[in-house]
Amino acid sequence: MLGYVTMYVYLFISLYRFYKVQRNRNQKGLLEACMMGLIGFIVSSISPSSVSNLFFHWVFLGFVICTVSVFSNKQYQQHEENSY
């Protein structure tokens, strides 16, 4: 459970950091949707353990992880371009 909570906290903090530096409205909307989805799944996960068996829960987490990965790579590439 500690690993699961740590993953949720890391994803939410990462999304929030990306949200603060973004200028594009579409990207901010995507980040807001991911953060609200994480909050919604925290609330919905306060139920029996059968939630972990639901397929859409894992697909959503995969989507959020991919979103964080794409924004991390984009930020890294911008940092590399600015350093030259």
Side-chain angles (χ1 to χ4, degrees), residues 7-62:
M7 179 186 65
Y8 254 74
V9 170
Y10 171 76
L11 289 174
F12 191 83
I13 290 172
S14 297
L15 290 170
Y16 183 71
R17 286 182 182 166
F18 293 135
Y19 179 79
K20 286 181 16 180
V21 298
Q22 286 301 317
R23 305 261 188 257
N24 188 341
R25 287 182 79 193
N26 292 332
Q27 292 175 350
K28 277 191 155 194
L30 176 65
L31 293 168
E32 285 175 0
C34 288
M35 286 189 289
M36 291 299 119
L38 283 176
I39 291 170
F41 271 113
I42 286 174
V43 172
S44 68
S45 294
I46 305 175
S47 63
S49 63
S50 62
V51 171
S52 65
N53 294 331
L54 299 174
F55 180 70
F56 62 86
H57 183 74
W58 296 108
V59 170
F60 176 73
L61 282 178

